[in-house]
Every structure is written in C-alpha cells, then in structure tokens.
Amino acid sequence: MGIVIGCDIGTQSVKGVAMDEDGRIVGEASVAYGTRFPQEAHAEQDLDTWRLATVDVLADLGRQVGARRPEVSHVAIDAQVDGIVGVSADLSPRTPALIWLDRRAVSERARLEEAVGSRRIAELTGLNPDSSHGAPKIMWLRSRHGADVRWWLSPCSAVVAGLTGEVVQDHANASSTMLYDVRRREWAAEMLAAADIEPASLAEIREATDTAGVLRSDIAAATGLPAGCAVLVGTGDDHAAAVSAGGTRPGVVVDITGTAEPVGVSCASPVFDPERLVETHAHAVAGAWFFQHPGIVSGGSVLWIAEVLAVDQSAVFTLAADAPPASRGLLFLPALCGSMSPRWNECARGALTGASMNHKRPEIARAVLEGCTFALRDILDRIQALTGNVHELRATGGGARSDLWLQMKSDITGRVVRRVAGAGPAAGAACLAAVAAGWFSDIPEASDELVVLETRSFDPDPAAAAVYEDAYGRYRDMFDALEPTFASGGSERR
C-alpha cells in the first residue's frame, strides 16, 4: 500500500488531500488566507503565505495518516495560474505576488501588442493579449522591484521551489505566460524578445508528472513526512480540476466554479478561436491541449455580493432561492475585475442594471448568480461551435455544491449538468502523484479510474429556460450598451 498527497494553492486557501492506492481520500486539510486590493485593478498575495500554508496543510495531512506517514511517497502541487512573483537566487520573495485577478499592467500589455501585434500574439501563444497574463506582469514588476530578482515564477513553481529548491514548471503553467509557443510547446523567442525577458529567468519546462526533487530536510521535519518524499513539477489549478473531473480526453467539458470559473475541454491538437473568447493552453496531460476560457470572476462575484449584503457566502444562495428566475428584471454584469465574456475588456467593470423599488436582497443575490451564468452560456456556445456538441457539462469546485446554481446553469445554457463528487483540484493533483507513484500508466487512466460523478443530473426546465432566454438577450444588450463607457485599455492602473 501507499499514500500520495495533492495540494491546491487557490485564491482563498490551500487545500490538500491524502489518497491511498484504492483511490480513497484518507485525509483532508485546508488553511485560508486573504487577498490585498490596494488599488483598482490590483490584487496581491504573498509567496511566504502560500509556502507556510502549504507546510501547515502537509503537516495536518501527516497527522491524519498517522502511523502510515512513511508510506507517503509523492506530493503534487497545483496552483492558481496567471500569477507572477519575483524571487532571489536563494528563492526568497523579492516582489509581491500579482495574482490572476490583477490587471494593473495595462501599458505593458499595450507595448507588447504594439511590438508583436494582437493577431500574431494570439496565433503564437493561443492567448488574448491581456494584462492578466504573466508577461505584462513581469514587465511591470521588473520596472519597480527587479533589482534582486533571479527568477520570475508562477505560484506553482514558487511553492515547489520552496519545498525542493528546484525551479521548474509544467507546460500548462508556461502556456499561461504569453511567452510560450503553444504549437511548438516551447518558449516563443519572438515574445521573449518583445518583453525583453531572458529565458534563463523563467522556470525550466517539464512534464507535470516529472519529479522536481525531494522534500527539503527542514520541510520533512516540519511536516513529519519522509525525507525522501518526491515532489512533482505540478500544474495549474484549472488543469488539475479538469483531471479531477475527467477532462483529460476530448469531448468532456468541465466547469470549475471557484473564485474564477474556468471552462474547458481537452483536445488532441490545438484549437484556435478567431473571435478570441476562448484561449488555447497546454494541458497537464502530456502532448494534449486545453481549449479553455480561463474564467470570469464567478465565485469572486458571490464573495463580493456577500460582503456588500453583509452575509456569509452560503446565505447568498439562500437569498437567491427566494427570487424568481430572471430576478424580476434585475441584471448583473460579472466584470468586477474586467470582462472576459462575451468579449475580453480588461478595463470593463461590473454593473447592476434595471433596479427598481421592488428589488430587495433576494433579487440582487439571484441576479449575481444569473449574470455569471449568462457569461457561462457565451463560453459554452463558443466551445461547442469550435469543438463539437456540448450536451453535458461536468461541474466541480466550491460553487458546484449549490443545487440552485447547477439547475440555473442547466436552464440558462440548455445543457445537462452533472456534479463531480470529490475534492476538486487537490484531488486532480493527487491523480498526478498517483501516476508518478506508478499506480497508473498516465493521467487519463488515473482520471478514468478515480473520477466519480453523482448519479443525479440537472436537466433544463423548459418554463425557466424560456424566461431566461429573454433575460439573456437583455443581458447581451446591456453589455453592448455599456461597453463604449469602458476605458479602451490605454489608461494607467497604477
């Protein structure tokens, strides 16, 4: 018998699971933390916070498995993508960690777009030129904090480096930087030159299931895990969540509702969206691609409205259940940190429109959920247009716990929705560790064996779907009407 561990470095917490050879979860742990929003479009965390939380989670899991700790052979990390932190030669942080929500590097993005061209960037990297991606963030940080920086690292790479002393990343994380040639699966010299970034300042690209190194002796002592425990290269949280939901083979579309709501499908070859709504990433699966929308701020919108209404997040769903479909005409645009659907606009901001005296807290809460789901419909329709029929959507992440939201997603998108039973991205990371431990031949096999779907499905309700069809049309009209009021993208957000 053996045990492996998967840890997810999320936006709101580190979550970890311990899994045995039978696929049973034998331990779960989490440590929460916050995010700083010092200015508009700024969103920061600290590398030391991630590292300390990860060690605490590993130690907790070690205590839970107790006498079986010597059996823990592999640890795999997944982490939020599109974040950047600068570290010194001794791997200490030298900058704040700009996370995926941060879109301050507008002028840096504009310089890259001017130098390379937006169409060329999309063709080469598979990504939209956007300040959320890594290259503009590196440029912004370098101009202010770059003196002692040796490496520019993703969250996953930075945590793995802290655990092992090795500086590596997988293809999925590299493909989110806007510096990666998504067809050739290597660094794009043209983008590196335009951003003036040396490849030696970036983590080496390897496969997600490769061993990065073993736990440092002090980490092993602090966690109680074996000193020879292998730590994998790891992957992005979107990609690990797809693994945990069975999204490792073409045709399985996964909806991952966390702070953001990535939606994607595995592909055997790269797929490019000429309308640039959906992006092309490398997958955690070797030799595969992930045709993916990186996610509207969905769970983040729930967190925001919970704070505005002075309730906890679970109460948002309780309130929403007391309002009818379409929220009596109230509409919400989920662009609190810029728009990514129906069109990308880093300078867009959220809106509640159609408000009247009869709208109370239930309508506001429901309108937020519905606005996020209208954006999901845009994304699913585009994925279907480019990859084939999307009849079933597999839902995972914290937001998938809400029956109300899953039924709403089915009614608004017209698709059957199935909930994944399991621990989300951390379970996907554990799947990677199980492959490295030799329990499975590859990630798709591990995913096929370990993923469990609930038998219940959420099917479209024709009456609710008709109401939502009208509301969706008004939602799209709202976006079109408001878009000219958003800044064009040239303003500084410092």
Side-chain angles (χ1 to χ4, degrees):
M1 296 294 290
I3 294 175
V4 297
I5 288 175
C7 284
D8 167 50
I9 318 299
T11 308
Q12 299 182 48
S13 65
V14 172
K15 299 182 181 71
V17 299
M19 179 189 292
D20 70 12
E21 275 191 85
D22 292 326
R24 296 176 301 184
I25 300 300
V26 295
E28 295 189 64
S30 66
V31 173
Y33 42 72
T35 301
R36 296 188 302 274
F37 300 98
Q39 298 180 44
E40 182 187 357
H42 290 216
E44 302 176 356
Q45 292 178 337
D46 292 315
L47 172 54
D48 284 341
T49 298
W50 297 336
R51 287 176 171 173
L52 290 171
T54 302
V55 170
D56 286 347
V57 165
L58 291 175
D60 193 347
L61 292 172
R63 286 189 291 271
Q64 290 182 48
V65 301
R68 298 188 64 189
R69 277 182 294 187
E71 297 178 40
V72 178
S73 61
H74 293 76
V75 171
I77 303 294
D78 76 79
Q80 48 180 294
V81 297
D82 282 324
I84 291 292
V85 61
V87 303
S88 62
D90 67 358
L91 302 177
S92 300
R94 288 293 179 264
T95 75
L98 307 191
I99 68 169
W100 61 275
L101 279 165
D102 193 292
R103 275 174 142 164
R104 73 183 69 177
V106 174
S107 64
E108 288 77 11
R109 183 272 307 155
R111 290 206 302 273
L112 283 175
E113 209 167 349
E114 182 179 358
V116 181
S118 60
R119 179 175 296 180
R120 175 59 177 162
I121 290 172
E123 290 173 347
L124 184 62
T125 70
L127 306 184
N128 284 314
D130 192 88
S131 57
S132 63
H133 292 311
K137 288 174 176 169
I138 292 173
M139 295 165 68
W140 192 96
L141 286 168
R142 183 180 59 198
S143 68
R144 292 156 181 80
H145 307 281
D148 297 323
V149 172
R150 169 64 182 85
W151 284 288
W152 301 105
L153 301 181
S154 70
C156 184
S157 297
V159 172
V160 169
L163 294 175
T164 66
E166 301 296 328
V167 181
V168 293
Q169 66 183 318
D170 80 322
H171 289 269
N173 273 301
S175 72
S176 294
T177 61
M178 221 165 78
L179 297 169
Y180 176 90
D181 186 326
V182 75
R183 288 186 178 89
R184 297 171 62 89
R185 302 175 70 85
E186 61 186 27
W187 294 124
E190 187 175 347
M191 294 303 302
L192 291 168
D196 191 24
I197 294 172
E198 290 292 332
S201 69
L202 305 172
E204 176 190 356
I205 303 173
R206 296 169 58 185
E207 296 297 340
T209 52
D210 285 353
T211 297
V214 298
L215 284 176
R216 286 173 19 203
S217 59
D218 58 325
I219 301 293
T223 59
L225 298 179
C229 182
V231 179
L232 306 190
V233 172
T235 192
D237 57 352
D238 303 350
H239 312 86
V243 170
S244 74
T248 60
R249 301 184 189 278
V252 178
V253 179
V254 180
D255 174 37
I256 308 154
T257 312
T259 306
E261 187 172 357
V263 183
V265 62
S266 180
C267 299
S269 59
V271 177
F272 294 88
D273 181 2
E275 294 183 6
R276 301 185 197 167
L277 175 60
V278 185
E279 296 187 317
T280 309
H281 294 243
H283 207 326
V285 180
W289 284 261
F290 197 47
F291 189 54
Q292 172 200 17
H293 188 279
I296 58 169
V297 185
S298 187
S301 294
V302 174
L303 176 62
W304 171 77
I305 201 61
E307 292 175 344
V308 169
L309 298 177
V311 299
D312 62 34
Q313 292 185 64
S314 63
V316 172
F317 299 96
T318 303
L319 285 168
D322 289 335
S327 303
R328 296 190 173 92
L330 193 63
L331 293 169
F332 173 69
L333 177 64
L336 299 175
C337 297
S339 169
M340 301 178 83
S341 177
R343 291 182 289 279
W344 288 54
N345 186 327
E346 62 201 353
C347 296
R349 292 297 177 261
L352 275 164
T353 67
S356 63
M357 294 294 287
N358 70 322
H359 290 131
K360 308 299 181 187
R361 298 201 307 170
E363 287 81 11
I364 294 171
R366 190 177 189 106
V368 168
L369 300 178
E370 289 172 345
C372 294
T373 310
F374 292 143
L376 171 64
R377 172 174 165 171
D378 290 326
I379 296 160
L380 286 178
D381 287 350
R382 195 67 191 140
I383 290 175
Q384 176 163 319
L386 293 168
T387 67
N389 288 332
V390 180
H391 296 302
E392 178 183 285
L393 185 66
R394 292 191 180 179
T396 186
R401 291 194 291 266
S402 168
D403 288 358
L404 172 72
W405 208 355
L406 295 191
Q407 185 60 55
M408 186 183 295
K409 290 180 178 185
S410 180
D411 294 339
I412 288 175
T413 69
R415 274 89 175 183
V416 174
V417 177
R418 296 280 302 280
R419 180 160 43 209
V420 179
C431 284
L432 304 186
V435 172
W439 302 354
F440 302 98
S441 61
D442 57 21
I443 296 173
E445 182 189 359
S447 182
D448 291 346
E449 289 293 323
L450 297 175
V451 171
V452 178
L453 300 177
E454 291 190 359
T455 55
R456 173 188 179 183
S457 66
F458 296 83
D459 303 305
D461 175 358
V467 174
Y468 280 132
E469 188 66 28
D470 175 71
Y472 173 72
R474 290 186 289 107
Y475 166 84
R476 290 298 301 263
D477 290 343
M478 173 184 66
F479 186 91
D480 293 342
L482 288 175
E483 191 169 29
T485 71
F486 304 143
S488 64
S491 63
E492 291 285 340
R493 296 191 180 275
R494 307 229 177 224

